Amino acid sequence: MSPDLISRLNEALEGRYRIERELGAGGMATVFLARDLKHDRHVAVKAFRPEVANMLGGERFLREIEIVARIEHPHILTLIDSGDAGGILYFVMPYVSGESLRARLAKEGRLPVADVVRLMRDVADGLAEAHRHGLVHRDIKPDNVMMSGKHAVVMDFGVAKAVSTATGEHHVTTAGMTVGTPTYMSPEQAAAEPDIDHRTDIYALGVLTYELLTGKPPLRGASAAQVLAAHISTTPDPVSRHREETPPALEAVVMRCLEKERENRWQETDELLQQLESIATPSDGVPSTRVPAASKPDKRATAWAKWAGITAVVAAVGGLFIVQQRRAAATADLVAELESALESDDLDGAYSTLVASGRTLGSTALASIAEEVGASLTLTVEPAGAEVQVARVPATLDGPLPSLDLGAAPVQSRTLLSGEYRVTVVAPEHDTASFSLHLHAGETRSVLRTLVPAAWQASEMVYVEGGVVPGPLKAAYQGSAVEPFLMDRFEVTNEQFMRFVSEGGYRDADLWPDSMLMNGAWVGREDALARLVDRTGLPGPRRWSGGTFPDGRGSHPVDGVSWYEAVAFASWSGKDLPTLEQWWRAALGDGDMRFPWGDDLRNIDARSNFTGVGTTPVGRYPFGAGPFGAYDQAGNVKEWIRHDVPEGPATVLGGSWLTPSYMFDSPNLESFDPSFASEEVGFRLVRPVPGR
């Protein structure tokens, strides 16, 4: 949603809600985090795109969505407010800080059976309440179920119904809006039948539960059309075929949800809920021993009760034995599969197998494998309690493998497969940190990372921990320490530099020295600035024209700027150029790596922009990020470094798109006249840690 629409929304909601930031966007709407000004709390505001709002019609849509406001239930996300903000249809919900089931599935692959039963029961409980009010969700899926603590909360109730009622469509509207999601659609939805009822939600709940248990939906296809056809005509595999330890009673519940004919599914959600309750809380526990005072015990009944009790115990022991046998067999299969992957040097395959199994290298059964290829990680985070996830970077660099949730920091002695990982750390009221981490077999690694508080207003900067000057400068600095500092995550872009130009940066005498060294001669400020112009004679970088950057290059690093211009921009923005020591500290951290991403020479072209045909947008190479999360320190453009000797040359580091990769190394340090400007030289900035 554009800033203009955000402004319109804020203007219409003035005095009631204040939009703070975007939480996510979909095909029809954008969800914002907002502050409820009256009650001083966070809420979520879902605003539909203008073209969608026009199609729905404000009054008609809001009349339908208001039905949801009548429902109050612990497993349904309540509707707080709704309205039409100058043509933008919106509704307000409580803000749930937890993750969606989709996010949890992405991290874990599949969930523990006990968790699945609890979550399925929560969703069914919410659905039963809605169905009693005659409301059908029509779009139950992992994205629409949020985690609030250990419990599930269903959101977007009534949206699909309101859309279909407002547009008169039952499947896909003329605006291109899909009512429902193909993977989770019931056969009657897939066939676009008009009489959709609550049994559609029961079917979707079956699909959802199947996916939670197995890590994949029951029916798939190469296209949406194939998926819809499968819902109509293809019978899914039993759950146990993909997860042997699934309790038979739970499998029976799920497979009945997935019946093609509505008449063969559970007919009432309350009936389904009762079955789930019996699975979660079995009724064959210890019977009550209290006997009513007015009656005498029946000897035959007592004998029968004893026999039934013995039978139940035998059945329970037998069942436990079977479960243990299955678990032992599953463990043996897992070990064999891991060993096979290791024999072929496929650590990525071993990692994927581990994630899918739900097991970790910390388990006793996998101790021999952990000893061979494991590494121990202790991660301390400021603030404590931040949530930590890791995702292995595959050797093919075709996207991170599934994430592992390491829980709340500090993470103590967690055993992981050796290799490269992307670490993501999240905490309330702090900017999310993402950085690279390399673990070597047999290594015991301790890492400290500090998150940037949102109050610092430094969302595009990374916190660089203090420490020694690393890499090629380590010997020269003999272990002298660098204080912690903040560094720009990306090189300064054309768009950012444009603001400096537009706001008169070249006309502000306070940003420029009285004289500048140009081609070996000192030149007064006015004469010097007259030379710092673009191709058309207007103030700006040498390769700009008409006072602006080339089309389509806004997110590219600014180039063609002198050291003087970089310093002026830094002063204007309240920052500074990094020192030589700071730049290397941010690039290599505490490691003896050759590049910010490690020692991988084979995939340099996939990790950085060396020997290319021009600059690329900043952050284009996610697998080239460094140990603190800074991008493009190797390649793209060389970067100006701070120096405090006015008459001396200025230094650039990092290599560029026009140079070979060995130009990253310290021995290839280059220095130029501070007025020098080139298509391969740009800069990034640093600032002190507040309070230090």
Side-chain angles (χ1 to χ4, degrees):
M1 188 167 281
S2 70
D4 176 59
L5 289 177
I6 294 175
S7 298
R8 286 171 54 193
L9 195 57
N10 263 327
E11 182 179 351
L13 300 177
E14 185 175 4
R16 298 160 62 198
Y17 307 102
R18 183 179 65 249
I19 304 298
E20 293 186 355
R21 60 183 172 88
E22 182 179 315
L23 292 174
M28 292 196 298
T30 302
V31 181
F32 297 98
L33 178 67
R35 173 66 64 177
D36 181 344
L37 300 177
K38 179 179 179 180
H39 301 98
D40 191 25
R41 61 180 177 178
H42 273 126
V43 294
V45 176
K46 186 162 190 172
F48 288 88
R49 298 195 335 246
E51 61 270 29
V52 176
N54 290 336
M55 176 64 65
L56 298 179
E59 181 179 350
R60 182 170 47 178
F61 177 80
L62 294 174
R63 185 169 59 249
E64 290 292 334
I65 201 70
E66 280 297 326
I67 300 173
V68 188
R70 304 171 192 168
I71 301 178
E72 292 186 6
H73 192 274
H75 299 304
I76 294 178
L77 199 59
T78 307
L79 177 71
I80 296 175
D81 195 2
S82 61
D84 185 339
I88 304 174
L89 294 179
Y90 72 91
F91 58 92
V92 183
M93 306 166 287
Y95 171 61
V96 180
S97 59
E99 62 184 356
S100 69
L101 274 186
R102 173 67 67 205
R104 188 172 175 190
L105 272 170
K107 289 188 303 183
E108 301 182 28
R110 62 184 189 179
L111 276 55
V113 172
D115 287 5
V116 174
V117 174
R118 184 183 69 251
L119 295 172
M120 189 183 185
R121 183 176 53 179
D122 288 350
V123 175
D125 196 11
L127 287 175
E129 178 67 16
H131 294 167
R132 281 191 285 270
H133 287 76
L135 190 63
V136 181
H137 191 289
R138 298 173 179 235
D139 198 18
I140 292 294
K141 59 184 177 181
D143 316 70
N144 283 336
V145 180
M146 296 295 294
M147 297 295 300
S148 180
K150 291 185 176 182
H151 293 283
V153 181
V154 182
M155 64 179 189
D156 274 3
F157 245 113
V159 173
K161 173 62 165 58
V163 168
S164 62
T165 299
T167 59
E169 298 285 339
H170 297 282
H171 183 34
V172 180
T173 75
T174 54
M177 298 173 292
T178 304
V179 180
T181 304
T183 299
Y184 307 91
M185 280 185 176
S186 65
E188 57 269 24
Q189 277 182 301
E193 294 181 9
D195 56 335
I196 300 300
D197 63 22
H198 65 281
R199 290 171 292 181
T200 275
D201 287 347
I202 291 174
Y203 183 92
L205 179 56
V207 177
L208 171 64
T209 309
Y210 193 110
E211 187 173 8
L212 296 180
L213 286 167
T214 68
K216 56 188 177 182
L219 298 168
R220 293 178 290 174
S223 66
Q226 289 184 10
V227 174
L228 295 174
H231 281 301
I232 295 171
S233 60
T234 303
T235 301
D237 290 338
V239 179
S240 57
R241 183 170 297 178
H242 302 286
R243 189 167 185 175
E244 288 185 358
E245 70 271 24
T246 304
L250 178 58
E251 179 178 57
V253 167
V254 174
M255 298 311 292
R256 184 170 174 183
C257 288
L258 295 175
E259 287 287 348
K260 302 296 182 190
E261 299 296 331
R262 282 182 271 190
E263 292 73 17
N264 295 332
R265 296 175 209 153
W266 302 100
Q267 294 303 291
E268 298 296 338
T269 319
D270 281 324
E271 183 184 8
L272 167 60
L273 185 59
Q274 288 175 6
Q275 292 297 320
L276 291 170
E277 294 283 3
S278 67
I279 293 172
T281 311
S283 60
D284 57 350
V286 178
S288 172
T289 57
R290 186 173 68 87
V291 179
S295 63
K296 294 182 179 180
D298 185 317
K299 291 184 179 181
R300 287 178 300 177
T302 302
W304 174 252
K306 288 181 179 179
W307 174 251
I310 293 171
T311 303
V313 170
V314 171
V317 171
L320 178 61
F321 177 71
I322 292 172
V323 169
Q324 289 174 334
Q325 277 192 319
R326 286 182 176 178
R327 184 170 180 82
T331 299
D333 290 344
L334 175 61
V335 171
E337 194 170 347
L338 291 175
E339 289 177 343
S340 175
L342 297 181
E343 286 177 5
S344 58
D345 199 26
D346 182 14
L347 282 175
D348 293 342
Y351 172 84
S352 296
T353 298
L354 268 174
V355 172
S357 72
R359 308 287 286 275
T360 71
L361 282 184
S363 63
T364 304
L366 302 180
S368 61
I369 293 174
E371 185 176 353
E372 180 182 354
V373 293
S376 177
L377 171 66
T378 294
L379 176 61
T380 304
V381 177
E382 295 292 341
E387 293 294 325
V388 180
Q389 294 180 6
V390 297
R392 185 179 180 86
V393 175
T396 53
L397 298 185
D398 54 356
L401 295 169
S403 298
L404 281 175
D405 189 349
L406 301 189
V411 175
Q412 300 285 358
S413 302
R414 181 66 179 266
T415 304
L416 300 172
L417 280 170
S418 57
E420 180 181 354
Y421 291 86
R422 291 291 294 171
V423 183
T424 302
V425 187
V426 180
E429 300 181 357
H430 288 73
D431 297 329
T432 298
S434 182
F435 54 90
S436 65
L437 179 67
H438 297 262
L439 298 174
H440 303 287
E443 178 183 22
T444 298
R445 182 82 177 275
S446 294
V447 176
L448 168 66
R449 289 293 180 267
T450 301
L451 303 187
V452 176
W456 289 359
Q457 297 183 342
S459 60
E460 290 304 319
M461 305 192 83
V462 299
Y463 190 107
V464 181
E465 307 291 345
V468 299
V469 182
L473 298 183
K474 182 182 291 187
Y477 283 87
Q478 298 181 345
S480 60
V482 178
E483 290 295 313
F485 61 96
L486 302 180
M487 174 179 263
D488 285 346
R489 191 184 310 274
F490 307 113
E491 294 156 333
V492 173
T493 66
N494 282 311
E495 286 179 341
Q496 292 170 322
F497 200 83
M498 185 70 220
R499 290 196 290 272
F500 168 75
V501 176
S502 301
E503 294 180 21
Y506 281 87
R507 300 190 301 272
D508 188 344
D510 293 338
L511 301 177
W512 305 88
D514 292 337
S515 60
M516 301 177 220
L517 186 63
M518 292 192 160
N519 298 321
W522 290 98
V523 179
R525 181 193 302 118
E526 290 189 10
D527 289 342
L529 289 175
R531 303 183 191 184
L532 301 181
V533 293
D534 66 17
R535 291 169 173 170
T536 56
L538 294 174
R542 305 305 84 79
R543 300 207 311 142
W544 287 18
S545 295
T548 189
F549 51 83
D551 288 344
R553 297 276 177 155
S555 60
H556 287 235
V558 65
D559 59 42
V561 289
S562 66
W563 181 86
Y564 289 119
E565 288 162 290
V567 171
F569 180 91
S571 179
W572 172 80
S573 60
K575 299 180 183 179
D576 204 347
L577 290 176
T579 64
L580 202 67
E581 301 93 320
Q582 287 176 325
W583 196 93
W584 279 110
R585 176 72 188 162
L588 299 179
D590 292 312
D592 292 321
M593 305 179 297
R594 183 167 180 178
F595 295 101
W597 61 80
D599 297 319
D600 181 9
L601 298 174
R602 183 181 59 185
N603 295 307
I604 284 180
D605 289 346
R607 293 183 183 268
S608 59
N609 183 22
F610 281 111
T611 60
V613 295
T615 59
T616 56
V618 298
R620 172 77 174 273
Y621 297 91
F623 299 120
F628 299 104
Y631 289 75
D632 299 318
Q633 282 195 265
N636 218 12
V637 291
K638 302 172 186 177
E639 299 176 13
W640 286 115
I641 300 300
R642 174 182 166 185
H643 75 99
D644 299 316
V645 184
E647 65 274 12
T651 299
V652 295
L653 287 177
S656 79
W657 62 270
L658 201 54
T659 63
S661 60
Y662 63 73
M663 293 301 293
F664 174 79
D665 292 341
S666 179
N668 294 295
L669 178 147
E670 298 174 279
S671 297
F672 300 97
D673 186 294
S675 65
F676 173 79
S678 165
E679 62 184 343
E680 54 176 323
V681 178
F683 63 98
R684 79 175 72 218
L685 302 176
V686 299
R687 61 181 266 199
V689 172
R692 293 188 67 93

